[in-house]
Amino acid sequence: MVYRVRGEIVNMVKYYKAYRFRIYPSPDQEQQMAKTFGCCRFIHNHMLEDKIREYKENGKMLRTTPAMYKGEFPWLKEVDSLALANVQLQLEAAYKKFFREPSVGFPRFRAKHHSRDSYTTNLVNGNIRLMGRRLKLPKMSPVRIIVHREIPEDGKLKSVTVVREPSGKYYASLLYEFDSCENQAAVKIREDKVLGMDFAMAGLAVFSDGSRADYPMYYRKSEGKLAREQRKLSRCKKGSRNYVKQKRKVARYHEKIRNQRRDFQNKLSFYLSEQYDAVCVEDLNMKGMSRGLHFGKSVMDNANGRFQRILEGKMVRKGKAYVRIDRYFPSSKRCSCCGRIKGDLKLSDRIYECECGYRGDRDINAAINLRQEGIRILHCSGDEHQVTA
Ligand SMILES: [Zn+2]
């Protein structure tokens, strides 16, 4: 069994943080952005197609660059070349991943109506710059931006991702690099400050101390409203004016819910990273988990994945530990009291009962197991984190 222990902050010199702001492009700027989204999609699909062909014919990895396509499609030169270069990098990474782990499948084509409109550009020679209420981006005049939160002065701008949400709103996500100057020394971990966390399907997370974190009521309320608007949409005639209007409305609700979820995740992860020295979680295989479960669960899994990432970032930055436990560790099947493994545990068994007399909530049992395993790993992970009882 291979365990990975993250939180090796001692050697970490830099960290990254993204700030997302609403932007208000003018019609001209919107047009240029739309062009860039389109070109990125175009180049992604063309490169992928050529890669697939090469793979089918020769079983080899084909290297493609945007420059290879600019001769045949000269209009690609009209958009930010760094945005296209980033498409190449992302595709290359996804493609390499496919060669390493074929089970993840081939990278996908980007369909016009089912993929998010976005592109990423990097800072090169001052081509992007935040100037008060304006954001300078390549190939267009400065775009109006609302910087609603302060960016620490020591941050170095690295890249900007421009997104158009289906609701029609535009955002810019600014990625900053920081030298990790906070007390980098690894925190001495106290065992009573180690938390096990398991993702339950119904709520967001279940903890080893028996508590749960669930989305607040207002989130459920918005979800209900979204369902209602979605039903209305299904009754509209496709392509009609009402349909288009209703679709926008649904998209706005989706966005609202996502923002509420993000807000909740940010607050919860902040709280946990303040409260605990180490958090132990199962390294989820998101894909395997969403299979066979009903509606919308893949969205849930993505949300959990995002939550894990931000929590890990916060823990690591505070010199604390974030322990990912191999997903083959039998966290659900094991009895947290005596260690017996229950081979025939079914997904429908919500209560874990053991011959030793232990009886408890299935998810809490799993969270306790993750905590115990995490403590074991921390004890043998070397001298970086000292663990004391
Ligand atoms: Zn037992």
Side-chain angles (χ1 to χ4, degrees):
M1 231 183 269
V2 182
Y3 292 105
R4 279 185 284 155
V5 180
R6 298 286 178 94
E8 290 163 21
I9 30 64
V10 182
N11 301 321
M12 201 182 77
V13 195
K14 289 173 171 33
Y15 68 90
Y16 298 90
K17 199 168 172 179
Y19 294 83
R20 189 173 189 256
F21 300 120
R22 179 109 186 247
I23 51 173
Y24 297 86
S26 68
D28 279 357
Q29 292 164 343
E30 270 187 31
Q31 212 180 8
Q32 181 62 21
M33 286 174 185
K35 220 166 159 184
T36 315
F37 298 142
C39 286
C40 285
R41 200 154 36 221
F42 178 89
I43 201 95
H44 171 95
N45 289 342
H46 269 259
M47 284 183 181
L48 183 55
E49 204 182 311
D50 291 342
K51 279 179 192 302
I52 290 174
R53 195 183 312 112
E54 175 72 13
Y55 181 69
K56 278 192 181 149
E57 285 171 9
N58 306 313
K60 286 210 187 94
M61 209 189 271
L62 177 72
R63 255 192 82 78
T64 46
T65 64
M68 290 161 61
Y69 300 87
K70 283 183 180 168
E72 193 180 342
F73 310 103
W75 38 266
L76 287 171
K77 290 179 199 155
E78 291 168 27
V79 304
D80 181 6
S81 61
L82 289 159
L84 301 179
N86 278 311
V87 173
Q88 182 198 345
L89 291 178
Q90 280 160 16
L91 182 60
E92 218 70 60
Y95 196 57
K96 277 193 189 125
K97 191 170 175 194
F98 162 71
F99 270 89
R100 268 201 321 272
E101 288 174 67
S103 65
V104 299
F106 234 82
R108 296 210 188 144
F109 287 102
R110 284 200 210 167
K112 190 166 183 194
H113 295 289
H114 296 284
S115 64
R116 222 156 65 119
D117 287 327
S118 80
Y119 72 87
T120 299
T121 183
N122 308 74
L123 184 107
V124 178
N125 300 329
N127 60 340
I128 42 182
R129 209 167 44 231
L130 188 59
M131 315 172 289
R133 291 180 188 168
R134 298 269 167 184
L135 174 67
K136 172 84 190 83
L137 291 167
K139 301 262 185 190
M140 65 180 87
S141 53
V143 183
R144 200 155 75 83
I145 184 168
I146 305 292
V147 180
H148 65 276
R149 54 189 289 212
E150 220 176 301
I151 301 164
E153 269 177 25
D154 58 329
K156 258 191 284 175
L157 182 60
K158 299 303 280 186
S159 70
V160 175
T161 300
V162 176
V163 180
R164 184 178 60 189
E165 298 289 355
S167 63
K169 290 178 187 166
Y170 288 80
Y171 294 90
S173 184
L174 279 59
L175 187 73
Y176 281 85
E177 181 187 273
F178 296 91
D179 290 322
S180 94
C181 51
E182 294 175 61
N183 49 347
Q184 290 197 42
V187 162
K188 274 188 191 165
I189 294 168
R190 276 174 42 194
E191 269 194 29
D192 60 331
K193 292 274 188 187
V194 178
L195 184 75
M197 179 167 77
D198 187 48
F199 289 97
M201 273 314 167
L204 180 75
V206 177
F207 304 110
S208 51
D209 62 0
S211 62
R212 294 167 186 274
D214 207 345
Y215 289 113
M217 249 338 262
Y218 60 75
Y219 174 81
R220 303 274 171 226
K221 222 181 259 171
S222 316
E223 265 189 330
K225 276 186 197 155
L226 171 66
R228 200 169 61 226
E229 297 302 333
Q230 227 146 14
R231 277 197 302 277
K232 263 193 211 165
L233 178 67
S234 67
R235 285 195 294 268
C236 292
K237 200 174 153 229
K238 236 182 172 166
S240 69
R241 260 190 70 189
N242 274 334
Y243 178 83
V244 174
K245 241 169 81 183
Q246 188 62 21
K247 207 170 165 186
R248 266 274 154 107
K249 206 167 173 185
V250 167
R252 272 204 305 274
Y253 270 108
H254 268 299
E255 200 180 305
K256 186 173 174 184
I257 287 177
R258 202 174 53 227
N259 288 341
Q260 286 177 339
R261 190 166 54 213
R262 282 183 180 176
D263 178 57
F264 173 70
Q265 291 179 337
N266 289 339
K267 283 175 182 152
L268 180 63
S269 57
F270 175 76
Y271 171 80
L272 294 175
S273 68
E274 287 283 293
Q275 214 66 23
Y276 294 95
D277 294 345
V279 178
C280 318
V281 297
E282 188 180 13
D283 199 356
L284 293 177
N285 174 353
M286 298 294 168
K287 270 204 165 142
M289 218 169 85
S290 61
R291 235 176 262 141
L293 287 157
H294 33 275
F295 83 105
K297 285 307 176 201
S298 58
V299 178
M300 233 6 181
D301 291 350
N302 289 339
N304 287 344
R306 176 182 186 271
F307 179 70
Q308 287 198 341
R309 279 196 306 279
I310 53 179
L311 177 59
E312 179 174 19
K314 286 188 173 126
M315 297 296 290
V316 166
R317 251 172 270 147
K318 288 176 182 163
K320 298 180 170 184
Y322 185 84
V323 187
R324 286 167 185 257
I325 290 159
D326 193 291
R327 69 193 161 89
Y328 295 111
F329 173 73
S331 60
S332 314
K333 289 187 173 153
R334 186 173 173 271
C335 170
S336 60
C337 183
C338 70
R340 266 197 201 92
I341 304 283
K342 199 171 185 173
D344 58 347
L345 186 80
K346 286 189 282 292
L347 223 97
S348 55
D349 296 339
R350 297 317 303 165
I351 299 289
Y352 189 98
E353 267 186 298
C354 180
E355 293 165 40
C356 74
Y358 176 83
R359 189 187 144 88
D361 181 279
R362 170 212 179 89
D363 299 321
I364 294 172
N365 178 59
I368 297 172
N369 279 325
L370 290 168
R371 176 177 180 271
Q372 288 169 352
E373 179 65 5
I375 289 174
R376 190 191 69 78
I377 292 170
L378 285 165
H379 272 299
C380 55
S381 70
D383 52 5
E384 147 199 344
H385 285 290
Q386 271 180 295
V387 190
T388 53

